[in-house]
Amino acid sequence: MANQDFFDKVWEVVADIPLGKVTTYGHIAAYLGSKSASRTVGWALKAASGHGLPCHRVVNRYGGLSGHASFGGPYVMEDLLRSEGIAFLDETTVDIEKHLWVPGT
DNA sequence: CACCTGACAAATT
DNA sequence: TAATTTGCCAGGT
């Protein structure tokens, strides 16, 4: 079932992110075939609210917690990521270079 | 039915 | 170097 819609694929990839790792919208979008569809990826996560996806492991290109506002609170994502062993550069920025995970690996 | 918005990114001016 | 524009997909108004 590796083929539904862009939307469902996003959930698939996000659900496959290993604990202690993070990925970016651009990488997911590129893996789906459209490097510029990053906004649709974020859109999918928003719609995935309640699907049980680790959306906190998805950050923007700079490692910034973009979705913290729609998550339920800025501290929620931060705390979750810290609990998984993610290193933070800032209170809303993770060490993307250190924990970057690419789909398909 | 047509236009706008939205957790982004990369290229161009 | 910074600011602006376009691309992507789906849903809401």
Side-chain angles (χ1 to χ4, degrees):
Chain A
M1 38 261 207
N3 229 317
Q4 312 269 337
D5 282 303
F6 200 94
F7 230 76
D8 296 284
K9 285 193 184 173
V10 173
W11 299 342
E12 223 179 302
V13 175
V14 174
D16 200 38
I17 301 175
L19 195 152
K21 292 282 180 178
V22 293
T23 194
T24 74
Y25 299 93
H27 275 119
I28 296 172
Y31 177 69
L32 299 181
S34 299
K35 66 174 185 182
S36 301
S38 39
R39 42 190 313 153
T40 315
V41 174
W43 215 83
L45 297 184
K46 190 176 98 176
S49 264
H51 282 251
L53 291 176
C55 355
H56 53 269
R57 293 184 192 148
V58 186
V59 296
N60 65 24
R61 211 264 331 139
Y62 304 101
L65 306 187
S66 328
H68 68 120
S70 298
F71 204 77
Y75 62 92
V76 179
M77 266 181 109
E78 182 188 328
D79 188 48
L80 280 167
L81 289 165
R82 289 192 181 227
S83 294
E84 297 188 352
I86 305 293
F88 271 74
L89 300 176
D90 250 329
E91 303 195 335
T92 50
T93 310
V94 303
D95 195 334
I96 187 65
E97 304 249 340
K98 187 174 183 177
H99 298 287
L100 177 61
W101 172 83
V102 181
T105 54

